[in-house]
Each structure stands twice: as structure tokens, then as C-alpha cells.
Amino acid sequence: MARRSKGTVMDDDLFTDYHKIRNGEAVDLAVVKKLFHYYNNGLVFNIAQAERCGIEIPANEKEQMARNGLTRQSLEELALLNSTNRVILSKTRNDFPYVNIMKQPKLENNYSATFDMAEVRDFGKTHIKSILSHAKKVLVYDNYLSEKSTLDRLLKEILPQKKLEIEYNAMPAKLLESLKRHCDKWTFTERKDLKGYHDRYMIVDGEVEIIMTSGLDHLGETTTDFTYILRPIDEVRFNRYRKKA
């Protein structure tokens, strides 16, 4: 078995479209946009797929593929045994391992950043500060906000010093008062209707969702690992299942 690749397996139709794009041939613009949204870390294919789709492979590359076992396995086998993400991108099928890129699949390809314990988070703070820099409204959902001075300093650092509506589901009184004193252009609204979620979120103007796996506190500290995921959104998840206060 060849070593698994971090790249992407495509069905024959998308594989053909991909090579048309490379060759400057016309392809539906909607397909191009979706394809390059999901395309990740190179293309995983085998000799059989190239032959089926009429794609010529240089002799030396073909020999290397044969040595690596990328010969005549099915696409399902190729995804399972030779790709780390185990999926096949498609324009029509959505039965796993196929993912129909044209129909808003559950699987997404978003920016994320991960920091290990003791790893400096300057990049993450700068990135999130930039996302917030022109915000008019920020919703902070985190059941575990603390009164730690590190969190207080972090919020004062990343939130823009301008008129800003800040909604929150739970915030310690000491932290809330400190933030109110820091910038009189900030207004705060408690959202008691937001309940039942486990992850931590910052929703920026209803357009961008920042998911924080271990809480906002850990963006400002290095005592544990921390990951954030950046998702462009069309709908605020909290509006789907609003609960009465």
C-alpha cells in the first residue's frame, strides 16, 4: 500500500474538470469555485483513473505511481487506503465517501489554527483582532468566562476601541464592569435565551463564526492547548433553536 497522502480524491467527472482547468479549457464557473474551495493538499489518483479520463501521465511519473501501488484500485479503495481524509469529491453523489460539493455538504474546508501547551498565541490574537476590527456587533457565547486578569487584558486587546454592540450569554460581574469602564463606546446585552451549547463562539456581525475549542480564556493563556476555527456563515446558529429566557 502506498503511503497515505493529505491530498484529495475526486470522482472521474471532477478529475476531468480539474485537468481542463489546468489546461485553460472552459469549465462551469460554479464548479470551479466549489472545486477549489474543497481542493486540499494536492490530488490523489491512480493510473486507472488517468486512463479512464484520457489524462496522459509522463512515463517516469507513471513508473513511480506503479511502485507506490497507485495502479488500478477503485476510487473507494483509493480514498480509504491512500488519502488521509477518506472522502471523494463529486458533482453528483453524496453517499459516503462521496461528498457532493455542489449541494452545501456538511463537510467544510475552513481556516483553523492550533496551539499546543506553552505555545505563544500572538498569531491567533492578531488574526482574531483583525476579524473584529471593523465589527459593529459581536456575540460572545462561552459558559466559562472567568474573572482572570489575562482574559480581561485579552478582550481589551482584541476588541476594537469604537462603537460596538457586545452580546453575551454569561459574563462575570467583575469582568463586565471592567470592560464597561475601559471603553464607553461599548454597549453590553445579556442574552439569557442562549442555552444548551457546549462549544465556545464569537459571532461577528452575523457573517463570521469563530469556534474556540477550549474557551476564550486560552487564547490569552498558554496553560493548555487551544484551537480556533473560522467559518463564514449565512445564518447565526443561535437563531435556529432560540429558547425563552
Side-chain angles (χ1 to χ4, degrees), residues 14-26:
L14 270 184
F15 183 78
T16 300
D17 283 345
Y18 171 82
H19 283 87
K20 285 181 178 178
I21 295 167
R22 289 190 60 180
N23 295 331
E25 299 176 41

Side-chain angles (χ1 to χ4, degrees), residues 57-174:
I57 309 171
N60 61 335
E61 184 178 337
K62 193 171 185 178
E63 290 174 5
Q64 183 64 48
M65 291 176 70
R67 285 195 294 270
N68 289 337
L70 297 170
T71 54
R72 316 206 73 80
Q73 60 267 68
S74 68
L75 293 182
E76 291 83 357
E77 291 172 324
L78 190 65
L80 179 63
L81 301 177
N82 301 100
S83 175
T84 57
N85 60 37
R86 311 303 207 272
V87 298
I88 304 168
L89 301 185
S90 172
K91 291 189 292 186
T92 55
R93 295 183 61 175
N94 207 31
D95 50 316
F96 192 85
Y98 291 87
V99 174
N100 187 335
I101 65 172
M102 307 304 293
K103 289 191 174 181
Q104 298 294 324
K106 198 66 177 175
L107 187 68
E108 299 176 341
N109 186 11
N110 297 310
Y111 285 126
S112 66
T114 297
F115 303 88
D116 207 344
M117 289 186 293
E119 187 174 0
V120 175
R121 280 112 210 251
D122 289 350
F123 173 84
K125 288 187 284 188
T126 302
H127 188 191
I128 292 176
K129 181 178 180 179
S130 176
I131 295 168
L132 296 169
S133 61
H134 294 289
K136 296 178 180 178
K137 182 177 182 179
V138 177
L139 191 161
V140 179
Y141 184 93
D142 190 330
N143 288 317
Y144 304 98
L145 292 180
S146 69
E147 295 184 348
K148 293 179 181 178
S149 59
T150 50
L151 178 59
D152 185 69
R153 288 196 299 270
L154 172 70
L155 288 171
K156 292 173 182 176
E157 177 184 349
I158 65 175
L159 291 171
Q161 308 296 302
K162 66 180 191 64
K163 185 178 180 180
L164 180 68
E165 296 179 51
I166 302 171
E167 295 185 341
Y168 63 92
N169 71 306
M171 187 176 294
K174 182 179 177 181

Side-chain angles (χ1 to χ4, degrees), residues 170-181:
M171 187 176 294
K174 182 179 177 181
L175 175 61
L176 181 59
E177 289 305 314
S178 177
L179 294 176
K180 286 180 177 178
R181 290 193 301 270

